Amino acid sequence: MDTKKLNRITWKRAKPIVLSLGILLILISVFIGFKSTTNWHRRQNFIHSQEARDHYNSYLGTQKAEEDNVNKKYKETKDYQGSVDYADNQNAGIFLKFDSKTGKFHIQSQTFKEYYGYIRAKLFYTRSAFDLTNFSYLFTSRNVFRGFTLISLFFIVAGFLVSFLNYKTNFSQILFSSGYKRKEILKSSIITSLIPLILMTITAITINLFILYSRIPHQYINYPLDKIIFYQFCILSVAICYYFLGLFSGIILGQVITGILSLSGFVFGLELIKQNILDILNNIFNKKNDGIYYQSFFVRFDTYLHWLILVGFIILTTFLFYFSAQYFYQRLSLEEKGNYLLFPKFRLPISLVAGLFTAYSICGNIGLGSDSISLLIRYNILPGILVFVITFCFFIVLNNYKKIYEKIGMIILKPNNQLSKK
């Protein structure tokens, strides 16, 4: 069969989705690039202005007045604790020190640089990945939910729409009857949607970095360019993995609203499970829970080697989603249209997996839990069992709602039929 013709057909279908998402990504990268760098220049201009110096001098005057009031209070009462409490009420206690030699309180005022600490002379304080992932100048660091990036959102939407709409609009059925093998159709759909989206995303990343480095002097970007680029590669690899997750979901799910809700719940659950795993690793390595490491595996394992290992694991997961999508696509039935899951034999296993997945994502955060078995049972195991049962029953009802509806209808209509016979 003519694969070029098939690619032209699938591209025509995918083009509105891919172009709209890709162009939107590029526009967002341009907007973030210009907005963030403009704000940087505005803040730098302000910190070197007389207005900023006047604000700082006013702050020093206020601190001096508060210091005089505290010392006046202490001189009148000779009550040390009362003077400290008075200073706390005046919001001055945090910088308050007592000089035993002079017998006076002294408020340690912030320096000019400390006072305007939110204005960074350089874009990074350190060269850690934590700064990189929280760097508002890179649009790849924009998160939708915890570590779920904006780019991953666009890729998962693209994958889901490409596969779901092809089936929902009977386009897949037309291709099935045209003589092309299903494997070829799926491969063509992936090539004509994923590759253009990757190219447009790389364009968006390049434009974003170009704006950053052209509008801000290089000496102020206290971070190696090679690591910034490698971080973009890592984020893009995660987004590609999410594309195949969306593609797989679009193949097995047959309803719009429940399908979108299920996919959203799965993504949120993945982020919770990621935090659970990081909590466990935190306990193993005896790291302090500082509340920041959960945001990204790239923060928790901040070396090139660790990032390569993570990318390798992401690639393996991507292939898992790809071959799973291929397996189900080969067995896609045209008779199950409208059902929640399009594969009857897998409804029970998927319901079990969904129940376990939800239970662990919500109740599996045992990394920072107590060593007490009773507390573990009370706060993890018992709630986990309850969540599993509720989720499993929900999916069973969702997968069999037609049969349940028919049985309820028979129960309701049965008394009416008996009355009509009488």
Side-chain angles (χ1 to χ4, degrees):
M1 300 295 289
D2 188 359
T3 55
K4 290 184 178 180
K5 182 179 179 181
L6 178 60
N7 288 341
R8 285 195 297 268
I9 295 173
T10 54
W11 166 242
K12 187 176 181 179
R13 291 284 298 181
K15 183 166 63 174
I17 298 172
V18 174
L19 289 182
S20 58
L21 293 175
I23 292 173
L24 185 57
L25 268 178
I26 292 174
L27 292 176
I28 291 174
S29 75
V30 172
F31 173 76
I32 291 175
F34 277 106
K35 181 181 179 181
S36 59
T37 53
T38 299
N39 288 338
W40 184 86
H41 281 286
R42 185 182 295 116
R43 290 193 294 265
Q44 290 302 310
N45 292 334
F46 172 77
I47 201 172
H48 293 98
S49 68
Q50 184 59 41
E51 183 183 1
R53 181 59 62 180
D54 292 340
H55 284 181
Y56 177 69
N57 290 333
S58 175
Y59 155 78
L60 291 179
T62 302
Q63 294 291 83
K64 184 65 171 62
E66 291 175 349
E67 180 184 286
D68 292 341
N69 290 335
V70 173
N71 283 318
K72 183 179 180 181
K73 182 75 173 179
Y74 180 71
K75 184 178 181 180
E76 293 174 351
T77 62
K78 297 299 181 182
D79 182 2
Y80 174 85
Q81 188 58 47
S83 300
V84 171
D85 294 339
Y86 174 78
D88 287 335
N89 293 334
Q90 301 298 315
N91 297 320
I94 189 171
F95 303 114
L96 193 66
K97 300 293 181 182
F98 183 75
D99 190 343
S100 57
K101 293 182 180 180
T102 61
K104 292 184 178 181
F105 286 95
H106 175 64
I107 295 179
Q108 294 181 332
S109 301
Q110 293 175 293
T111 65
F112 184 80
K113 185 176 181 180
E114 291 170 342
Y115 184 68
Y116 288 108
Y118 66 93
I119 299 178
R120 303 182 180 185
K122 293 186 177 182
L123 301 186
F124 297 96
Y125 283 134
T126 68
R127 294 193 173 194
S128 68
F130 174 70
D131 273 350
L132 190 60
T133 54
N134 287 275
F135 188 38
S136 61
Y137 295 82
L138 297 177
F139 92 107
T140 52
S141 63
R142 297 300 173 99
N143 291 344
V144 179
F145 175 73
R146 295 189 177 179
F148 184 62
T149 63
L150 184 67
I151 290 181
S152 293
L153 173 64
F154 278 67
F155 272 71
I156 197 173
V157 168
F160 179 79
L161 291 180
V162 165
S163 57
F164 183 83
L165 292 179
N166 283 350
Y167 181 84
K168 199 72 175 176
T169 58
N170 298 321
F171 181 69
S172 297
Q173 291 86 321
I174 296 173
L175 290 179
F176 293 165
S177 61
S178 63
Y180 290 103
K181 294 181 180 180
R182 294 194 178 193
K183 188 175 182 180
E184 294 176 344
I185 296 172
L186 180 63
K187 184 179 178 181
S188 178
S189 297
I190 293 172
I191 290 174
T192 55
S193 60
L194 180 58
I195 292 179
L197 187 59
I198 290 175
L199 293 176
M200 297 183 79
T201 303
I202 293 174
T203 301
I205 291 172
T206 304
I207 292 173
N208 183 241
L209 291 178
F210 176 77
I211 294 173
L212 173 64
Y213 277 85
S214 63
R215 301 197 69 203
I216 295 179
H218 295 184
Q219 65 268 24
Y220 289 102
I221 305 177
N222 183 33
Y223 207 89
L225 178 61
D226 57 336
K227 195 169 185 180
I228 291 179
I229 294 175
F230 191 50
Y231 174 71
Q232 314 301 307
F233 168 74
C234 293
I235 295 299
L236 183 58
S237 65
V238 174
I240 293 172
C241 183
Y242 272 111
Y243 167 88
F244 282 98
L245 171 60
L247 184 81
F248 170 72
S249 302
I251 291 173
I252 67 171
L253 299 173
Q255 297 175 355
V256 179
I257 297 177
T258 54
I260 293 175
L261 291 176
S262 299
L263 186 57
S264 302
F266 186 77
V267 170
F268 293 154
L270 279 179
E271 290 301 319
L272 293 176
I273 286 177
K274 182 188 71 175
Q275 182 176 346
N276 295 344
I277 294 173
L278 286 172
D279 283 345
I280 293 173
L281 292 173
N282 194 60
N283 258 11
I284 293 174
F285 293 105
N286 296 318
K287 295 289 184 179
K288 182 181 178 182
N289 181 11
D290 51 15
I292 60 174
Y293 65 87
Y294 75 86
Q295 296 182 7
S296 173
F297 276 99
F298 301 114
V299 173
R300 184 63 177 83
F301 304 100
D302 186 10
T303 67
Y304 278 107
L305 177 60
H306 287 150
W307 283 14
L308 282 173
I309 294 173
L310 288 172
V311 169
F313 177 76
I314 292 167
I315 292 174
L316 290 176
T317 306
T318 301
F319 277 109
L320 175 63
F321 283 131
Y322 168 71
F323 287 116
S324 298
Q326 188 179 89
Y327 174 85
F328 283 97
Y329 196 74
Q330 294 276 26
R331 293 157 179 78
L332 190 61
S333 173
L334 306 179
E335 300 176 356
E336 295 293 329
K337 199 170 184 178
N339 288 318
Y340 170 66
L341 284 175
L342 302 178
F343 301 89
K345 293 182 180 179
F346 292 92
R347 286 170 184 164
L348 179 59
I350 290 178
S351 298
L352 288 170
V353 171
L356 292 172
F357 177 87
T358 307
Y360 181 69
S361 63
I362 296 177
C363 308
N365 193 353
I366 61 175
L368 300 178
S370 173
D371 294 332
S372 172
I373 299 298
S374 61
L375 291 178
L376 182 66
I377 294 174
R378 181 178 178 182
Y379 293 109
N380 294 100
I381 296 178
L382 291 180
I385 293 174
L386 178 62
V387 171
F388 168 79
V389 171
I390 294 174
T391 306
F392 177 74
C393 292
F394 174 77
F395 274 90
I396 290 296
V397 172
L398 195 60
N399 284 316
N400 299 276
Y401 77 97
K402 288 185 178 180
K403 294 180 180 179
I404 296 173
Y405 180 77
E406 290 175 359
K407 289 184 178 180
I408 293 175
M410 291 176 62
I411 294 173
I412 294 174
L413 293 175
K414 189 175 181 179
N416 295 334
N417 292 336
Q418 292 177 349
L419 289 173
S420 62
K421 288 180 181 179
K422 291 180 180 180

